[in-house]
C-alpha cells in the first residue's frame, strides 16, 4: 500500500489528540470502532504469544535519530507524557496500545513483554511479574524508569525486551505504536559503540519487515547527511511505500538561511514524495505543561507562515496527523488480514508435519473406550467384593481388594486389643470365662493398674465406692479409638481408590484398547475416597455414641463380692497342701496369681479389690471391641466399598465427567511425551484458536455471505488454506 495516496479523512475517524479526562463527555464507541478494536486486540494477543516468533505481523513503528523530537511528538499525539529532555534516552522499545472503549473512566496498565530470544525461564518469569498499577498518565515516567531497572538497563545499555502501555478510554484513538530507541550519532561513556550497534539492530529488526509501517521522525534542523536513520530506511524501503515521514521542529528551522532545503521540504509536503509526509511543531522544554489548545494555537501560528502556509492543511498539524495515522494503520491491517490467515494456516501445517515426525504420545483413553470397558470393570469389582480371585487380574496380590480390607480391619482390631505392655500371662480358658477375663495378654494397662493401686493403697478398708474410678479407667481406655478408626477408614478408602484405577486398567487392556496405565484423576479420586470414608463413619456412628455414654458399673458391693471370691481363691491356694490339680479353686488361684502378684505392693485384701475393678473394666472394654468387630465385618465392609466404586464410576458419571478429571494416563512402559511435543501441541492449539477468532470476525463483517466453492473462487486452493477475503477498508 502506497502511504502517500490516502484520500480525504472521514469525519467519523477524527480522534482527539489528548486522552480524555473522566469528567469529559465523550461520544459512545461506534460499531466500526468496536470491530477495529477487536481486530487490533487479536493482533496484539498474537504478537504476545510464542507463535508470533516466525510470523510477520502488521505494526507501526516510530523511529528517529536521537533528539529528533520523537518523545515530544508522541506526547502531543497520544497525550502520554513520555520523559522529554535534551539528555533523555529511551533504552528499550515501548508499545503503546490505545483503544476506544465504552468505560466510565480511562483504564491504564503496563507490563514487560520479554524478547523471543530470551530462553531463561527465570528471567522471563521475573520480567512478566512487573505489572504496575497506573491511576493516571502522569505515572508513565515513573513506570518507564522502573521498567529500566527490571530490564537492568538503568543508565547504560539497551534492552531487547519491550515495555507495553495500554490505554482504554472513551474518545481515544484506536492505534498501536511501537516507539523505538533513537539512533545517536557519537558514542559516549553511557552510549558505547556496542550500544549503537544494539540500537541499530533493534531498529533494523522492525523496519526490514515488509508489513511494518515506518513513521520516521525527522528533525528539520538536521541535514540529510547527518540523519543516520534515513540511510537505513532507504535501504529497507527503497520505494518509500511503507514510510511515513513526520517533520518536526519547524519553529527552530530558518527558511531564509537555507532556502533550497526549505524548498525541498515544501515540495516533499505538497507532493508527498519520496514518502508520505506531515509537519508538526513539537512541544519544547518550556511548553511541556501547556494545554492542548495552547499547543495547537502555537502550532497554527508557526505553520501559517511561509513556506508552510502553502502546504495542504491535511499534511500539517497534530490535529490532522492523528486521524491520518489511524486511517493508514487501519487500512494496512485490514488489507493484510487475509495474508495473516494464510500465514497461520501454513504455520499450522508446518507444526503438524513436525508433530507427525515426533515419537507418538501415550495412547489416549477415550470415553468410548471407557464405556466399552465398564462391564468388565463392574465384573472385577463384584468379584473382588466376594473374594472370588480366580481371574488372572487377581494374580497380583495388591488387586485382591477383600483381603486388603480384611488386613486393614485386622490391624484396627489388634490396635484396639493391645492396650499397653502385657501384665498377665495367658489364662486358662475356663478360668477366663468364669471371671470374664479375655483370653489374651494385656488384661490390664500398666498405667491404669498403677493408678488404681495408688488409690487402693491409700484406702483403709476395701468398702470404698469405686464406680467413678472404674468409669474413668474405661474412658481412658477407649479415648484412642477415634484415632485408630480414622486411620483404618483412611486406609480402606485408599485401597478402594487404588483398586479402581487397577481394575479399569485391566478392563481397558482386556478389551484391546491399549496398554496405558490408568490412575484416577484427583477430582474423582477425592470423591470416591470421601464417599467410602463417609459411609464407614456412618456405619460406626452408633457404636461411637454407645461408647461415649457413661458406663454404669455395679455398686461397691458388686466389686467386693468379686474381690472376696478372688481373695478366697488366693487363700485356698496358699493353704492347700496336696493335689492342687483336683481343686478348681487351687487351679483358679494359680491362674490369677500373676495378676495378684502385680498388685503385691497393696496390703490385703485391697489387692483383690483392685483385681476385681480391673477385671470389670476390662470386660466392659472387651464388649465394646466385640461389637465393633461385628460392625466392621469383612463382608460388610467389602460390600460397602463395592457399592462406592460402582456408584462413583457409573456409566452416567463417565459420560458427564471431563476426561482430564476422570483419569490420568501414566506413561509407564510407553514413550513419554517430550517437552518438545508438548510445546508443539500447545502452539498448534493457540494457532487454531487465533484462526477461529479470525473466522468469527469475518462472519461478523459478512454475516450472510456463504463461503465460495473452489469452482467459484479463482484462487480456491488459497481459500482452502484459510484465507479471508473481501475485508472492508473501513472508511
Amino acid at each position: 500500500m502506497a502511504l502517500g495516496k490516502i484520500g480525504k479523512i472521514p469525519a467519523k475517524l477524527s480522534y482527539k489528540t489528548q486522552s480524555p479526562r473522566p469528567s469529559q463527555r465523550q461520544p459512545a464507541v461506534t460499531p466500526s470502532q468496536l470491530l477495529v478494536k477487536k481486530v487490533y486486540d487479536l493482533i496484539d494477543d498474537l504478537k504476545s504469544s510464542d507463535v508470533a516468533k516466525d510470523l510477520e505481523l502488521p505494526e507501526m513503528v516510530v523511529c528517529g535519530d536521537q533528539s529528533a523530537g520523537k518523545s515530544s511528538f508522541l506526547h502531543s499525539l497520544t497525550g502520554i507524557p513520555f520523559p522529554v529532555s535534551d539528555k533523555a534516552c529511551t533504552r528499550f522499545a515501548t508499545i503503546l496500545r490505545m483503544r476506544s472503549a465504552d468505560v466510565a473512566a480511562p483504564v491504564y496498565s503496563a507490563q514487560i513483554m520479554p524478547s523471543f530470544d530470551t530462553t531463561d525461564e527465570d528471567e522471563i518469569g521475573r520480567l512478566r511479574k512487573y505489572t504496575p498499577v497506573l491511576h493516571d498518565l502522569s505515572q508513565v515516567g515513573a513506570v518507564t524508569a522502573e521498567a529500566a531497572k527490571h530490564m537492568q538497563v538503568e543508565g547504560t545499555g539497551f534492552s531487547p525486551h519491550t515495555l507495553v502501555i495500554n490505554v482504554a478510554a472513551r474518545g481515544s484513538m484506536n492505534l498501536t505504536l511501537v516507539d523505538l530507541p533513537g539512533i545517536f550519532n557519537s558514542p559516549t561513556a553511557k552510549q558505547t559503540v556496542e550500544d549503537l550497534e544494539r540500537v541499530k539492530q533493534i531498529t533494523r529488526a522492525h523496519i526490514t519487515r515488509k508489513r511494518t509501517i515506518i513513521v520516521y521522525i525527522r528533525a528539520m534542523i538536521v541535514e540529510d547527511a547527518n540523519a543516520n536513520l534515513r540511510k537505513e530506511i532507504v535501504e529497507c524501503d527503497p520505494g518509500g511505500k511503507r514510510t511515513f515521514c513526520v517533520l518536526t521542529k519547524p519553529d527552530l528551522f530558518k527558511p531564509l538561511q537555507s532556502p533550497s532545503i526549505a524548498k525541498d521540504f515544501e515540495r516533499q509536503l505538497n507532493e508527498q514524495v519520496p514518502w508520505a509526509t506531515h509537519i508538526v511543531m513539537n512541544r519544547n522544554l518550556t511548553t511541556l505543561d501547556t494545554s492542548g489548545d495552547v499547543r495547537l494555537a502555537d502550532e497554527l501560528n508557526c505553520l501559517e507562515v511561509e513556506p508552510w502556509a502553502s502546504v495542504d492543511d491535511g499534511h500539517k498539524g497534530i490535529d490532522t496527523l492523528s486521524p491520518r495515522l489511524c486511517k493508514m494503520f487501519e487500512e494496512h491491517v485490514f488489507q493484510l488480514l487475509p495474508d495473516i490467515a494464510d500465514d497461520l494456516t501454513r504455520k499450522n501445517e508446518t507444526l503438524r508435519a513436525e508433530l507427525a515426525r515426533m515419537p507418538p504420545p501415550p495412547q489416549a483413553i477415550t470415553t468410548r473406550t471407557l464405556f466399552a470397558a465398564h462391564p468388565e470393570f463392574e465384573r472385577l469389582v463384584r468379584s473382588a467384593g466376594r473374594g472370588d480371585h480366580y481371574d488372572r487380574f487377581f494374580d497380583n496380590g495388591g488387586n485382591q481388594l477383600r483381603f486388603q480390607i480384611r488386613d486393614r480391619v485386622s490391624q484396627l482390631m489388634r490396635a484396639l486389643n493391645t492396650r499397653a505392655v502385657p501384665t498377665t500371662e495367658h489364662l486358662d480358658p475356663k478360668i477366663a470365662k468364669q471371671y470374664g477375663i479375655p483370653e489374651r495378654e494385656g488384661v490390664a494397662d500398666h498405667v491404669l493398674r498403677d493408678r488404681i493401686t495408688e488409690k487402693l493403697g491409700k484406702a483403709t478398708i476395701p468398702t470404698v465406692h469405686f464406680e467413678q474410678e472404674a468409669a474413668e479407667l474405661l474412658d481412658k481406655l477407649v479415648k484412642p479409638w477415634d484415632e485408630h478408626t480414622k486411620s483404618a477408614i483412611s486406609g480402606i478408602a485408599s485401597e478402594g481408590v487404588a483398586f479402581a484405577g487397577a481394575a479399569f486398567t485391566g478392563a481397558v487392556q482386556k478389551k484391546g484398547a491399549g496398554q496405558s496405565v490408568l490412575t484416577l484423576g484427583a477430582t474423582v479420586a477425592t470423591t470416591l475416597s470421601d464417599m467410602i470414608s463417609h459411609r464407614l463413619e456412618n456405619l460406626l456412628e452408633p457404636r461411637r455414641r454407645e461408647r461415649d455414654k457413661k458406663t454404669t458399673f455395679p455398686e461397691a458391693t458388686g466389686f467386693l463380692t468379686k474381690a472376696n471370691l478372688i481373695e478366697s481363691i488366693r487363700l485356698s491356694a496358699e493353704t492347700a497342701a496336696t493335689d492342687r490339680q483336683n481343686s478348681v479353686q487351687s487351679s483358679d488361684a494359680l491362674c490369677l496369681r500373676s495378676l495378684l502378684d502385680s498388685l503385691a505392693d497393696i496390703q490385703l485384701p485391697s489387692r483383690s479389690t483392685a483385681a476385681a475393678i480391673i477385671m470389670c473394666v476390662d470386660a466392659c472394654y472387651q464388649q465394646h471391641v466385640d461389637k465393633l468387630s461385628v460392625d466392621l465385618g469383612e463382608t460388610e465392609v467389602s460390600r460397602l466399598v463395592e457399592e462406592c466404586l460402582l456408584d462413583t464410576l457409573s456409566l452416567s458419571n463417565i459420560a458427564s465427567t471431563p476426561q482430564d478429571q476422570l483419569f490420568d494416563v501414566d506413561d509407564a512402559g510407553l514413550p513419554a511425551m517430550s517437552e518438545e511435543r508438548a510445546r508443539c501441541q500447545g502452539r498448534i492449539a493457540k494457532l487454531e484458536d487465533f484462526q477461529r477468532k479470525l473466522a468469527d470476525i469475518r462472519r461478523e463483517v459478512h454475516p450472510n455471505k456463504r463461503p465460495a466453492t473452489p469452482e467459484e473462487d479463482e484462487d480456491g486452493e488459497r481459500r482452502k488454506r484459510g484465507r479471508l477475503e473481501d475485508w472492508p477498508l473501513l472508511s
Side-chain angles (χ1 to χ4, degrees):
M1 178 181 68
L3 302 185
K5 298 180 181 180
I6 297 179
K8 185 178 179 180
I9 305 301
K12 72 173 184 177
L13 290 178
S14 296
Y15 298 87
K16 292 186 177 295
T17 60
Q18 299 290 326
S19 293
R21 295 186 297 274
S23 60
Q24 288 179 297
R25 293 180 59 85
Q26 299 295 336
V29 181
T30 64
S32 63
Q33 288 175 326
L34 287 176
L35 180 60
V36 172
K37 177 181 181 299
K38 184 181 294 186
V39 173
Y40 287 2
D41 288 344
L42 178 63
I43 298 297
D44 291 340
D45 293 341
L46 184 57
K47 187 174 295 186
S48 301
S49 70
D50 57 355
V51 301
K53 183 176 182 179
D54 302 323
L55 294 176
E56 191 170 316
L57 298 172
E59 64 179 2
M60 178 177 282
V61 300
V62 180
C63 55
D65 294 302
Q66 196 171 33
S67 300
K70 184 163 55 67
S71 295
S72 59
F73 159 74
L74 289 172
H75 185 181
S76 300
L77 178 69
T78 66
I80 300 176
F82 287 94
V84 179
S85 71
D86 291 335
K87 298 180 179 179
C89 178
T90 306
R91 298 190 175 276
F92 45 83
T94 303
I95 296 179
L96 311 177
R97 294 173 178 171
M98 291 156 289
R99 299 290 182 266
S100 179
D102 192 7
V103 292
V107 179
Y108 312 112
S109 63
Q111 70 265 9
I112 293 177
M113 187 168 69
S115 168
F116 286 126
D117 296 330
T118 303
T119 57
D120 188 342
E121 294 296 333
D122 294 337
E123 175 75 1
I124 293 174
R126 183 182 64 81
L127 293 172
R128 285 180 174 167
K129 285 181 180 179
Y130 180 65
T131 54
V133 177
L134 285 78
H135 301 289
D136 56 67
L137 292 179
S138 64
Q139 298 175 294
V140 169
V143 168
T144 303
E146 189 66 23
K149 294 181 182 179
H150 280 75
M151 299 184 200
Q152 300 176 349
V153 289
E154 186 182 13
T156 59
F158 288 83
S159 174
H161 309 302
T162 305
L163 174 65
V164 180
I165 298 176
N166 305 292
V167 177
R170 275 177 174 264
S172 173
M173 64 179 75
N174 276 320
L175 187 62
T176 300
L177 298 172
V178 182
D179 177 26
L180 300 179
I183 295 183
F184 51 90
N185 293 320
S186 303
T188 63
K190 292 186 177 181
Q191 297 177 350
T192 64
V193 176
E194 291 77 11
D195 291 338
L196 177 59
E197 290 302 319
R198 170 62 65 87
V199 173
K200 287 184 177 180
Q201 182 181 7
I202 294 173
T203 303
R204 195 179 297 113
H206 285 272
I207 66 177
T208 54
R209 298 169 186 166
K210 301 303 181 182
R211 296 177 181 176
T212 295
I213 294 178
I214 306 169
V215 179
Y216 171 42
I217 309 301
R218 164 73 192 281
M220 299 175 69
I221 57 175
V222 178
E223 296 181 2
D224 285 346
N226 296 325
N228 298 320
L229 186 57
R230 179 185 175 89
K231 302 172 185 177
E232 296 280 349
I233 293 175
V234 171
E235 291 179 4
C236 295
D237 183 26
K241 295 182 179 181
R242 297 187 293 110
T243 303
F244 186 93
C245 181
V246 178
L247 299 177
T248 62
K249 302 185 178 182
D251 51 324
L252 303 180
F253 179 70
K254 306 299 181 183
L256 297 178
Q257 296 180 5
S258 306
S260 61
I261 297 177
K263 194 69 175 177
D264 290 340
F265 283 143
E266 182 183 2
R267 185 178 64 85
Q268 182 176 342
L269 286 166
N270 286 325
E271 299 179 10
Q272 298 290 293
V273 290
W275 305 311
T277 308
H278 205 97
I279 184 171
V280 297
M281 191 190 80
N282 297 63
R283 297 171 186 256
N284 54 44
L285 297 179
T286 61
T287 60
L288 288 177
D289 298 328
T290 58
S291 66
D293 293 338
V294 173
R295 197 209 69 79
L296 289 175
D298 291 342
E299 183 181 57
L300 180 62
N301 293 332
C302 176
L303 299 181
E304 285 302 317
V305 298
E306 292 297 339
W308 322 126
S310 61
V311 174
D312 189 307
D313 289 342
H315 300 158
K316 63 184 178 181
I318 198 71
D319 56 336
T320 58
L321 177 61
S322 172
R324 192 178 182 189
L325 290 178
C326 290
K327 177 64 176 179
M328 182 189 309
F329 189 62
E330 184 180 294
E331 288 186 343
H332 182 63
V333 170
F334 274 79
Q335 286 181 357
L336 287 175
L337 281 177
D339 298 313
I340 295 173
D342 281 344
D343 291 346
L344 293 178
T345 302
R346 285 192 291 269
K347 183 66 177 177
N348 198 347
E349 293 171 353
T350 301
L351 288 176
R352 287 191 173 277
E354 181 181 341
L355 188 67
R357 293 191 294 268
M358 297 180 183
Q363 189 169 357
I365 302 298
T366 64
T367 303
R368 180 177 296 180
T369 302
L370 297 178
F371 265 71
H374 192 272
E376 178 66 15
F377 167 74
E378 184 174 345
R379 186 187 69 80
L380 292 176
V381 170
R382 297 194 184 280
S383 297
R386 294 191 303 268
D388 297 337
H389 299 151
Y390 301 110
D391 193 281
R392 292 185 60 185
F393 169 76
F394 297 104
D395 291 346
N396 181 353
N399 295 337
Q400 298 175 5
L401 180 60
R402 180 156 181 160
F403 290 170
Q404 300 290 338
I405 292 174
R406 182 186 63 187
D407 291 343
R408 294 283 184 176
V409 174
S410 298
Q411 291 175 11
L412 173 62
M413 293 299 106
R414 284 196 297 271
L416 298 182
N417 281 324
T418 304
R419 268 96 75 196
V421 179
T423 57
T424 65
E425 300 172 354
H426 284 288
L427 300 182
D428 182 88
K430 182 169 57 177
I431 303 300
K433 183 177 181 180
Q434 179 180 354
Y435 294 101
I437 303 174
E439 299 179 46
R440 65 181 187 285
E441 296 181 343
V443 174
D445 182 286
H446 71 286
V447 176
L448 303 180
R449 183 203 67 207
D450 292 343
R451 183 176 178 184
I452 192 64
T453 53
E454 180 183 359
K455 293 278 187 180
L456 291 171
K458 297 177 181 179
T460 56
I461 56 176
T463 58
V464 179
H465 291 269
F466 296 110
E467 297 96 324
Q468 181 177 357
E469 191 63 35
E472 292 178 358
L473 292 175
L474 180 62
D475 182 67
K476 189 169 184 179
L477 278 176
V478 300
K479 191 173 183 179
W481 276 32
D482 287 339
E483 182 180 349
H484 290 309
T485 54
K486 184 182 294 185
S487 176
I489 289 173
S490 177
I492 293 172
S494 65
E495 295 290 354
V497 172
F499 177 83
F504 244 116
T505 296
V508 169
Q509 291 176 349
K510 192 165 186 178
K511 292 299 180 181
Q515 300 296 319
S516 297
V517 180
L518 294 178
T519 56
L520 287 186
T523 302
V524 177
T526 301
T527 301
L528 177 57
S529 179
D530 291 346
M531 180 182 293
I532 294 174
S533 300
H534 179 69
R535 292 190 183 181
L536 285 175
E537 289 170 357
N538 290 341
L539 181 67
L540 299 180
E541 180 62 20
R543 295 299 169 222
R544 189 189 65 79
R545 290 198 300 265
E546 180 182 344
R547 187 192 71 214
D548 291 344
K549 290 181 181 179
K550 184 176 181 181
T551 304
T552 302
F553 285 94
E555 296 182 357
T557 54
F559 285 109
L560 292 177
T561 300
K562 181 167 286 191
N564 290 334
L565 178 59
I566 293 175
E567 183 65 14
S568 65
I569 294 174
R570 186 186 64 78
L571 292 175
S572 65
E574 291 180 354
T575 57
T578 59
D579 199 13
R580 291 182 177 178
Q581 298 298 327
N582 296 327
S583 171
V584 175
Q585 290 184 344
S586 297
S587 177
D588 292 347
L590 291 174
C591 294
L592 286 170
R593 179 168 296 173
S594 60
L595 175 59
L596 295 172
D597 288 345
S598 70
L599 304 172
D601 56 336
I602 302 177
Q603 296 181 354
L604 295 176
S606 298
R607 56 184 173 178
S608 295
T609 305
I613 293 174
I614 292 172
M615 289 163 59
C616 286
V617 171
D618 194 76
C620 185
Y621 176 87
Q622 186 59 34
Q623 290 177 5
H624 287 304
V625 174
D626 293 341
K627 291 178 181 179
L628 183 66
S629 179
V630 173
D631 292 339
L632 284 179
E634 176 185 332
T635 302
E636 178 66 19
V637 176
S638 298
R639 182 190 61 79
L640 183 147
V641 174
E642 175 186 325
E643 292 176 354
C644 293
L645 289 172
L646 296 178
D647 289 347
T648 305
L649 294 169
S650 63
L651 287 175
S652 59
N653 286 346
I654 290 176
S656 60
T657 305
Q659 285 290 298
D660 58 348
Q661 296 181 12
L662 190 61
F663 289 106
D664 298 325
V665 180
D666 190 7
D667 296 338
L670 293 171
M673 182 182 294
S674 64
E675 293 184 6
E676 183 181 7
R677 185 181 185 90
R679 282 196 302 270
C680 186
Q681 288 183 340
R683 297 179 72 185
I684 290 174
K686 291 178 183 178
L687 281 170
E688 292 176 347
D689 182 53
F690 286 123
Q691 288 177 297
R692 284 191 294 269
K693 290 179 179 178
L694 274 175
D696 291 341
I697 292 174
R698 182 190 181 189
R699 283 191 290 270
E700 184 176 346
V701 175
H702 301 293
N704 300 320
K705 183 175 181 178
R706 67 174 178 82
T709 63
E711 293 76 14
E712 296 170 334
D713 191 349
E714 296 180 357
D715 196 7
E717 292 301 318
R718 185 174 180 82
R719 180 182 290 276
K720 285 181 180 179
R721 296 199 305 271
R723 172 164 182 162
L724 306 177
E725 294 187 351
D726 302 323
W727 288 92
L729 304 180
L730 301 184
S731 59

